[in-house]
Every structure is written in structure tokens, then in C-alpha cells.
Amino acid sequence: MKRVDINCDMGESFGAYRIGMDEEVLPYITSANIACGFHAGDPLVMKRTVAMAAARGVSVGAHPGFPDLMGFGRRIMECDVEEIRDYVTYQVGALRAFCDALKVKMQHVKPHGSLYNMAVGNEGITRAIIEAIASIDDDLIYVALAGGNAVMTGKIAEESGISAAFEAFPDRAYTRQGTLASRKQPGSVIKDPQEAADRALMMARDGKVTAEDGSIIEIEVHTLCVHGDNPAAVDLVRLIKKTLESSAVEVIPMGSFIQG
Amino acid sequence: MKRVDINCDMGESFGAYRIGMDEEVLPYITSANIACGFHAGDPLVMKRTVAMAAARGVSVGAHPGFPDLMGFGRRIMECDVEEIRDYVTYQVGALRAFCDALKVKMQHVKPHGSLYNMAVGNEGITRAIIEAIASIDDDLIYVALAGGNAVMTGKIAEESGISAAFEAFPDRAYTRQGTLASRKQPGSVIKDPQEAADRALMMARDGKVTAEDGSIIEIEVHTLCVHGDNPAAVDLVRLIKKTLESSAVEVIPMGSFIQG
Amino acid sequence: MKRVDINCDMGESFGAYRIGMDEEVLPYITSANIACGFHAGDPLVMKRTVAMAAARGVSVGAHPGFPDLMGFGRRIMECDVEEIRDYVTYQVGALRAFCDALKVKMQHVKPHGSLYNMAVGNEGITRAIIEAIASIDDDLIYVALAGGNAVMTGKIAEESGISAAFEAFPDRAYTRQGTLASRKQPGSVIKDPQEAADRALMMARDGKVTAEDGSIIEIEVHTLCVHGDNPAAVDLVRLIKKTLESSAVEVIPMGSFIQG
Amino acid sequence: MKRVDINCDMGESFGAYRIGMDEEVLPYITSANIACGFHAGDPLVMKRTVAMAAARGVSVGAHPGFPDLMGFGRRIMECDVEEIRDYVTYQVGALRAFCDALKVKMQHVKPHGSLYNMAVGNEGITRAIIEAIASIDDDLIYVALAGGNAVMTGKIAEESGISAAFEAFPDRAYTRQGTLASRKQPGSVIKDPQEAADRALMMARDGKVTAEDGSIIEIEVHTLCVHGDNPAAVDLVRLIKKTLESSAVEVIPMGSFIQG
């Protein structure tokens, strides 16, 4: 039987500011990427989100980003690898303390926004992030983009003694090379819910995705990235989960099938 | 044989900003209180400071403060106890990640500035800090002010399953009640190095301090708080250590004689 | 003919975070208090909010607060008066630059949250804020709490060469002494919209408010403080405006009847 | 008679953190670039620095940077032009409020660190900065790098109705194209004080600089950029000033010879 994880960013609220329909999306996901206070999130939100996810049986991971709250971690910051490594260590450690306090085992680490994007295809940055993770707990799984760059990423993770999980985006168009089509390009975001759900199924069950040019690409997928920032997004996640399960794909946390 | 710990704040640099003669004072202390990024310190400084302390055989602790870099954590912020608990959890967790990365065991937690002062005599705040510490690792020692409030503090620590260490200030005047004389009062800071060193000895060896009015007060002291922010301060630390050791007081990390 | 201003906090969004139904409430108010980046707001939000208010004929003011984004400026920070003065100067200057850029004349300054509350009855803090305002532009109006402390405030403003406007809260209970009843007290917030609108009318037309104990208190009111953070709040503002205008109270910006 | 301005960054301290020998370098410079709180500086430091500069007859300018205190504004942040424009507006406005409070006329604006570097040769960013300045006060002078990109910069400034001043670096090597040699390259920083002073003289008196390859390049220079962050740097500034004045080059604020 095929199995796949569904991951979603959450815990992005900050102080009086609220972002994300965390409570609504939790029933349909299996892994929560929790912001750690640099680009979003604050200590109270982090604790509350770990508790909320754990109460729903959703596995918890750290979602470290650049120290840029004003830009929500989405802007490129040209930090050097030592900075990136130590920023990741700091944030993962902070979230782990809340996991410890709540007796929750942290499952994974997935970088956020620009940090995530900058790691794609960049060996130095990928290594900095992985080394930070491995130095804290080699049971943690590093979540990175599936497709073209997965080989390099997997190799560095293996050298560092941790596992990597590869994620795909059901609602994003792919190039023939198996990378995400630029968001600036028309059609790069799949708007039709059923189409996105069908793509999710094809990714999870068949390990394939249809590229922009109609060609079928092979892609190793452990987890599907979804969003929970608006009602339509939540509806899509529900549809994706339902579509997977009705096609005999088991939706379970990545930690249950990836060697930690 | 009598024994005492000497603790000093460090790792207070931030980005391009340098504060503290950390390297110079390390040979004379046994416990380093390392800032955690809220009132001072940044991830790179934290990592470097843990490494530097460990290399010198100095035990490492977290030094969490209020989220007020502009005020260096010295201004009262009326946070509620939940905020205080989660801010401490966050910061201790962040520092602990660097300890883990460097295979250093964290020994203690000492709050900084206003957070430290607000905890004195305040049961709610004391409890919030202690609960945060205990929820992460009950081997950690909570460092608090010796004297009048030590009983309440010790009781809460015991209830929470962690140990408390009490600290005294060789260079500060004490009231008859065993509390620190206000800094605003003339004579509240002992300027003469030999006098401060003699007081350190009396605190550590005899468990006593001479109050402002000349009376002798009993005070249970596990650790002496010193400073390393200027050359004269470093000279004083050296003198204190020499004075203690030449009087057969062993200067060793608190963790070696306090049950963690 | 009687006249009164209606003021509302706005521009409290920050980066990716949205707070406040600014656009919806603008048709019913005459003065906008715009956050300046310390407790809320960012440069882009500030500019957009100045433009939006001006486009609707709503007068613009600065809404400076403590440097505490995580606490939304609602927590007491024990800053000294020099810090308060310079924090206000900084923030008013920043907002004024956007006013200049958009050819909008800044009308007033109203402190936010804890800074506002700490100024009530505190001569040192009131003076620090007023001096900051006067040092930038003595045409600016200082908005402060009407009632018991208005005399002291008015005197300091006069000495500093600026005008003060006094504001009342239609949806808040008042003590017999003419101060706001504590929020912690049951009944301190008036929930019934029509009652709040009737109180607004009594404040604006008659210069009176019914206190908790039923007694009628005199209160000099130039502006009514309303909120725009949820649909019910916006409905209340519309009702207040309608109630005032249908009773021949003119609702116009404070700057049109207070000597700048 | 030839004339030139000497400018230096200052006011970079923050809270408890001190950077820069501002007081020591002030006697030898004519224009101070004052940090505005984003990459360095805080409201108290800003006010104190404006006062200190004005007391010494040194002209005051704003030194806006990226919102990156941890990176001291030296890291590339890929902000869009609207963000850059509004960040500059905010910071210039904040500093101008202190100038107003102290009755000091602000003379110029010089971007800091990465923002400065990213503007070189980038028309969009240059225009964003210039538009921000012009929208506040068209008497302000925009300070930018002399050499190859000065033509584009000057053209945009002229279109926007403000003046530009071009600066050169006496202690930096130049390429044959009149741009700064990369800091990563050996020899890119001139270490010998007399050589740097001689280059300053050649720049100011002759409008020329010797490039790395020995060729002589023409360069229009209104102001020389110097540093005040250590005793050797201060000594160099003194030597530069003395060298210029003993060769009949008048050292005066740029505002006295550039049309505001």
C-alpha cells in the first residue's frame, strides 16, 4: 500500500496578529511546520501550536526562516553559511524546548520561504541547514524539494547521518526538468481544486507529475505541501486527503515511514 | 573544605556590536551565563561563547531576558506569567541547541536584568521561570538571589523537581534584611577591590555579609556574581578568585556540588 | 451648533499581517491615528494609510507607542522620560515624512496603549510626549484622556505652545471621578450599540457622561474614540455618527475647531 | 580655490552598545551620516549625535539602511523598490524630527551598506531612494558613489529636482573603469596613511585617482568618505584634513558649495 505525508505551515501568528486557519486545516494534515520566531511566530504561539498539533495526532516540525519579520522571511537575505547554520540551530532549539515541555517528539525540520528556496540547488546552504539539524538530533528529518535537486540533498543528508524527505506541490506547475515553474509565469499555480487533488494522487501513488509541456516526469515524493491560509485552501486540503484515501493511499506522518 | 562557584554574564555581543571582555574574564570564573538573543546575544555569538567557555572548562548556563534589545533587558516589562514562562522556554531551548551541537551539558539558568529583579520576592514570576526550566530538563539549576527570598524560591524549585543555587554580589551593599541596597543609594556599589574580595571570602567561607548598618547577616551562598565588562572588573574577578583560593575556598562550578 | 471629532486607530497591519477594517471604518470617522512602526505598522502600511485617509477627507495623526511589537504596545515598559520623548519624536517624524510625501498636513498625535495609559496622571510622561510634539511642529494637537487629568495635561500643553484635544470613550464605563472604569471590572465595556451611541451624543452635545453609580459627570470632549477592528465595531461607529448628526452635532476633524 | 567635503558615518551605537569614535572624529569632518534605527542607531543616539555634530559645526545627514540590525545593514536584502522607497522615507523622516527639535537643517542623505552598494548602477533602486528624498525636502542632497555610475545618478536626481553629491574613498583601490575594487581582492584597501592622504588630495584637488593598473582616471568628487571606528582611522582622517588644507583645498560641508 502506498503512503504519503501531508505537511502545512502553521504557527505563523505573532503577538496580536493572526495568520492561518491552523485549527481548521489540522484534521487533514499529518505534519505541521511550525514557525520559530524569526520570520513569524512567537513563543506563546509556538507552544500553543505544538500543543494543538499534538492533540490532533499531527506530527510536529520546525520551520526556521530568515530574521525578517517585516518581510515574512520571503525576501532573499545574503547570509553566509555560518549565519544560516546558527540561525537554524537557534530556531530548531527554541521549538524543541516547547516539544520537550509538552512531551512531544519533534519529527522534522523544513526551512521557510527564501531560506527554503535558496537551499534548492545550493550545496553550501543545504549543507549548513543539514549540519545544524544533525548537530541537534540525528532523528530529525530534513524536508526539501523533490525533483532535480533531491539527489544532492539526499547525499548531504546521508553524509551527515540524517534522513531527508522530499516534498511536492500539488497546486504548482512543474517544468520538464522537474523543478517548480516560476510563480511569475501564467498557469504556475493550479487553481482548479480537483486538478490539484488529481495531481496529488499522481504524485503520491505513481511518483509522477505532468509537466507544463504535457510530458510525464518521475518524482520521488514523501510529503505533499499544502496551505491553510484561507477557506478555499482548507477545502483543497480536505479534497486532497479524501482523494488520496479513496484511492488507497495511506496519509500518515512522514516519520512513520522514513527512517529517522 | 568550603567551595563556591563564580558566575559572570557573557555572550552579550550582537551582530557588529561588542560588549564584554569575555575572553579575559573566563580564566577566573566557573559558570558563564550566556545571553540568548532577546536582550542581547545572537546565534553566532551564542555558539562562539558556548565553545569558548567549554574550552576553558567553564560551565555553561542560559541567561534569558525580556525581548528588549534596545533596553538591554534592563527595563521593567509587565509581561504576564504565561509570557514569561514561554519566553524563558524559548531562550533556554535556543541556547541548549548550541550546547547539544557542541556536546556541552548545560548546567544552569539565570534570568537577566529586569526579569531577574522582578522574580525576587514575586512568587508568580519565580514559578513561571522555574516551570519553564523544569519542563525542559530537570537537571538544570536555577540561579536566584540569595538572602531573604531564597526560602520561597527554594520551595518552588523543590516542588518543581529542580535545584536552586543562590548567588551573592561581593561588590554590592546589603540591607539588614539581607537584600541588595538600592543602586540609587550612595555606597551601594563597593568600589574598593580588596573590600569586595574580602566580602566575597566572607560570603563563601562563612556564609555571612556585613550589612550597611554594620550588622552581620547570615546568607547561604552557592555562587558569586561578578562582571567582565571592563578591565577593572576583570581585575576584581581575578582578585576575588585569588583571595578565595588562598583562603582554602575551592572555586568550582556549581554543578559539581549542587544536586542537579 | 455643537461639533465633535471621531478618532480611530489604524494602520496597525505589519508586513504580511493584517489588523483592522481601516477601509470600512474610514467613512464614519474624521481623524485617523496611524501606527508608526514601534508597536504596529510598517513604512508601507504607514504610507498607504496616510493616502487612504487623505483620500476620504479624514485627518491624519501619529499614533506612537512603545518599541514592543510582540506585545502590540500594550505592556507597561518602564522607560525614562528621555526615552519616551525621543521615541515619540522618532515616530512622529517618521509618519510626518509620509504626510510630506503625500502633501498631507499632519493634524495630531495620540499615544498608543500603555504609553497612553501611563501618561494619564503622570506629569513627567505627559511633559515628555508634549515636548516631543512641540519640538517638531507646534501646530500639532496632542490628544489625551478627557476628565480628571485634562487640567494638568492642558496646562503642560499650553506651556509648551501646543493645543490639546480631549477624548472620551462612548463604549466605556466611567467612575464618579470621571476616569475610565477598569477593564477588569464587569460592565466596564458598554456592549449595547444604542447605549454607546446615546452616551456619545451626551458626551459630544452636553459635555456629560453617566458614571457607574448613576451620577452625571461633566466632561469636556473634543473627540470620541472608536474602534474598527471587527464588523460590530464598524457598525457601532456608523451608528454613533448617525446618532450625532441626526441630533445636530457636526462631526468634523478636531483640527477645524481646535486652535493648532 | 578648490573645496571638498569630508563625510563619516556616525550615530551607530544602539542601546547599551557602543560603536564608533564619533566625538574624536568630529573635529576633522564636515558632514555626518547619522544612522536612523534600521541597521544601527536608536532614537536617543540619533538625537545625541545630531546635537553633537551641530555643536561642532558639522553638517548633518541621514544614513538609512536595511531593516537588519543583526547584519548591520551590510547584507543584501532583496527588497522591491516600493519597500526601499518607503524605508528611506521613514528613516529620513525620523532623523529629520530630531533635526527639527534641535533647530538643525538636514543637509544630505547617504544610504548605508548594502543599500548603498545595491543602488550603484541600479536605476530602479537609485530612483526609489531619490524619490523618497525629493518627496520630503528637495533641498536635501543625495550622496552617491563617484565614478562610472555618477552620470545615471545625476540624471535621476536632476529629474527629481534634487542635487547629488559624489563621493570617493581615499583608502580604497579603484579599477580602471572608476569603480571600487572588490574588498576581497588583495590591496583593495590602502593601508598606508600617507598614501591614502595623498590620494584624497589628488581626488579633491585634481579630480583624479590612480587606478590599480597605474592609469590615471578622472573622477568628479564632492566629498571624501572616511571612517571613525578605531584610533588609526581617526588619525587618518586628521592626516587627510591636514594634507588637504596645507595644499590649499578648503574642507567645508557639501551644502555650502552644492546647490541644495
Side-chain angles (χ1 to χ4, degrees), chain C residues 29-41:
Chain C
I29 67 168
T30 47
S31 291
N33 318 311
I34 301 178
C36 301
F38 269 39
H39 72 279

Side-chain angles (χ1 to χ4, degrees), chain A residues 101-121:
Chain A
L102 294 162
K103 317 271 183 233
V104 172
K105 184 167 166 50
M106 193 192 289
Q107 172 193 251
H108 68 284
V109 177
K110 173 177 159 179
H112 169 83
S114 272
L115 181 56
Y116 180 93
N117 293 329
M118 287 167 70
V120 175

Side-chain angles (χ1 to χ4, degrees), chain A residues 7 108-111 116 141-145 164-167 223 254:
Chain A
N7 80 80
H108 68 284
V109 177
K110 173 177 159 179
Y116 180 93
I141 299 167
Y142 172 53
V143 178
L145 187 63
F166 299 112
E167 72 169 345
T223 179
M254 63 180 90

Side-chain angles (χ1 to χ4, degrees), chain C residues 36 47 86 90 96 100-101, chain D residues 36 47 86 90 96 100-101 135:
Chain C
C36 301
K47 185 173 189 180
D86 293 353
Y90 183 99
R96 201 171 54 134
D100 287 353
Chain D
C36 300
K47 185 174 189 181
D86 293 354
Y90 184 99
R96 201 172 53 136
D100 288 352
S135 77

Side-chain angles (χ1 to χ4, degrees), chain D residues 189-256:
Chain D
V189 176
I190 315 286
K191 297 264 167 71
D192 178 58
Q194 192 55 57
E195 188 186 345
D198 291 344
R199 288 170 73 86
L201 178 59
M202 193 170 159
M203 288 165 165
R205 189 188 53 193
D206 310 325
K208 287 178 183 159
V209 64
T210 307
E212 297 168 301
D213 66 355
S215 60
I216 307 282
I217 294 162
E218 303 227 341
I219 187 169
E220 187 190 11
V221 176
H222 302 109
T223 179
L224 299 168
C225 181
V226 298
H227 310 288
D229 42 354
N230 61 67
V234 175
D235 285 347
L236 174 58
V237 184
R238 190 174 42 217
L239 180 63
I240 288 175
K241 182 162 190 253
K242 197 182 139 200
T243 302
L244 291 168
E245 292 182 337
S246 65
S247 301
V249 176
E250 197 182 6
V251 180
I252 51 173
M254 62 181 88
S256 61

Side-chain angles (χ1 to χ4, degrees), chain B residues 194-248:
Chain B
Q194 193 55 57
E195 188 185 345
D198 292 343
R199 289 170 72 86
L201 178 60
M202 193 170 160
M203 289 166 165
R205 189 187 53 191
D206 311 326
K208 288 180 180 156
V209 64
T210 306
E212 297 169 303
D213 66 354
S215 58
I216 307 283
I217 294 163
E218 303 225 342
I219 187 170
E220 187 191 11
V221 176
H222 303 108
T223 178
L224 299 167
C225 181
V226 298
H227 309 288
D229 42 354
N230 61 67
V234 174
D235 285 346
L236 175 57
V237 184
R238 190 172 42 215
L239 180 61
I240 287 175
K241 184 165 189 249
K242 196 181 140 200
T243 302
L244 291 168
E245 292 182 335
S246 64
S247 301

Side-chain angles (χ1 to χ4, degrees), chain C residues 139-153:
Chain C
D139 271 0
L140 290 168
I141 299 167
Y142 172 52
V143 178
L145 187 63
N149 300 288
V151 177
M152 177 266 279
T153 305

Side-chain angles (χ1 to χ4, degrees), chain D residues 54-172:
Chain D
R56 303 285 194 132
V58 171
S59 292
V60 163
H63 194 46
F66 283 122
D68 178 21
L69 188 66
M70 212 186 275
F72 207 65
R74 287 177 180 152
R75 300 190 288 210
I76 288 175
M77 285 186 76
E78 290 211 348
C79 299
D80 61 38
V81 290
E82 191 191 359
E83 290 168 333
I84 288 173
R85 193 178 55 218
D86 293 354
Y87 292 174
V88 171
T89 304
Y90 184 99
Q91 294 177 74
V92 173
L95 187 75
R96 201 172 53 136
F98 293 108
C99 291
D100 288 352
L102 294 163
K103 318 270 181 232
V104 171
K105 184 166 167 49
M106 192 191 290
Q107 173 194 251
H108 69 284
V109 177
K110 173 178 159 180
H112 169 82
S114 272
L115 181 56
Y116 180 93
N117 293 329
M118 286 167 69
V120 175
N122 184 313
E123 197 172 319
I125 294 177
T126 298
R127 194 177 294 278
I129 298 170
I130 286 176
E131 283 178 0
I133 299 169
S135 77
I136 295 176
D137 178 359
D138 57 17
D139 271 0
L140 289 168
I141 298 167
Y142 172 52
V143 178
L145 187 63
N149 300 287
V151 176
M152 178 266 278
T153 305
K155 193 169 159 291
I156 297 176
E158 202 187 328
E159 286 168 16
S160 303
I162 67 169
S163 296
F166 299 113
E167 72 170 345
F169 295 78
D171 65 346
R172 292 288 299 279

